[in-house]
Amino acid sequence: MSENIVWHHQKVTRADRASIKNQSPCLLWFTGLSGSGKSTIANALDVALFERGYHTFLLDGDNVRHGLNKDLGFSDEDRVENIRRIGEVSKLFTDAGVIVLSAFISPFTTDRRLVRNLFPAGEFIEVFMDTPLQTCEERDPKGLYEKARAGKIKHFTGIDSPYEAPERPEVRLDTSQMSVDDCVNRLISYLLDRQLIFTSPQATGA
């Protein structure tokens, strides 16, 4: 980093921005195998929070690779850079007082820890989609497992590239056993219990 770059402190703080939204900023980091339900549950939670009047933003792995990270491939090195960029973008959104939902395979423990370390204690919520590989393969919504098994896709997580499962995630969900509504209700209960969201802004007339 150039010595000529100096951090500029803003007068409006992240706490100021969050207070008018009746919420505390945080990042829900959905991690798990392809087909485990990351995007489905993140989208459903995003809708549920939005309908309650909260300020959210969803970052989805495929969508981000259409723009910000379109220059990255799927090598281990590119996966690391992919997650690093998303962590920094997520931090900017939380600085704006927003609840961020990020849905990425993010297979490596060190990368997820790197993102966690960007946030104050309690603001990084690791949501492990602990859905069995067999279920993910049976779903195979994008046909990627079939291609990976046939050798048409290399470095595919769960097949020829490892997935390092979180040891102590804040929330663990298994969509082979839980419905979408069950998962969303579990996550909303977690946010309420941790006082990251409060009474719905719509309900209070705020």
Side-chain angles (χ1 to χ4, degrees):
M1 182 179 295
S2 171
E3 62 182 15
N4 297 319
I5 298 176
V6 179
W7 185 266
H8 182 75
H9 292 280
Q10 300 175 344
K11 292 185 178 179
V12 181
T13 68
R14 71 201 308 268
D16 293 333
R17 299 181 191 280
S19 65
I20 64 172
K21 298 179 176 65
N22 200 40
Q23 62 189 39
S24 293
C26 62
L27 167 61
L28 291 103
W29 189 273
F30 292 81
T31 176
L33 297 171
S34 177
S36 61
K38 297 182 301 300
S39 294
T40 298
I41 303 305
N43 269 282
L45 178 62
D46 192 33
V47 170
L49 291 173
F50 177 80
E51 289 178 343
R52 287 166 171 78
Y54 295 107
H55 298 250
T56 64
F57 196 82
L58 173 60
L59 295 166
D60 183 81
D62 281 356
N63 291 357
V64 170
R65 282 183 174 273
H66 277 87
L68 177 66
N69 292 346
K70 66 181 180 181
D71 60 319
L72 299 177
F74 291 91
S75 66
D76 287 354
E77 293 78 10
D78 281 357
R79 285 177 182 270
V80 170
E81 176 60 13
N82 183 54
I83 297 306
R84 186 195 70 80
R85 293 183 192 179
I86 296 309
E88 293 291 349
V89 170
S90 297
K91 185 174 183 298
L92 290 175
F93 274 108
T94 59
D95 284 346
V98 173
I99 296 172
V100 184
L101 298 82
S102 292
F104 294 84
I105 293 175
S106 48
F108 304 125
T109 301
T110 54
D111 299 340
R112 300 193 300 267
R113 185 182 303 121
L114 181 149
V115 177
R116 181 185 290 273
N117 290 339
L118 293 173
F119 293 83
E123 286 192 14
F124 179 91
I125 302 161
E126 190 171 46
V127 181
F128 175 31
M129 304 303 299
D130 192 12
T131 305
L133 174 61
Q134 180 179 350
T135 300
C136 296
E137 281 205 68
E138 289 172 353
R139 291 174 177 168
D140 202 10
K142 303 172 187 175
L144 300 178
Y145 283 102
E146 182 179 358
K147 292 180 180 178
R149 290 292 188 188
K152 297 178 181 179
I153 298 178
K154 301 296 184 183
H155 307 295
F156 190 77
T157 302
I159 304 302
D160 58 352
S161 185
Y163 177 79
E164 299 171 359
E167 294 182 359
R168 292 182 296 275
E170 279 73 15
V171 180
R172 185 186 302 267
L173 303 173
D174 178 356
T175 57
S176 71
Q177 303 293 327
M178 302 172 68
S179 69
V180 172
D181 286 345
D182 289 339
C183 292
V184 169
N185 290 336
R186 172 80 180 281
L187 290 165
I188 288 179
S189 294
Y190 179 89
L191 294 173
L192 287 168
D193 290 343
R194 295 294 305 278
Q195 295 187 320
L196 293 165
I197 59 174
F198 309 99
T199 303
S200 171
Q202 289 182 349
T204 61

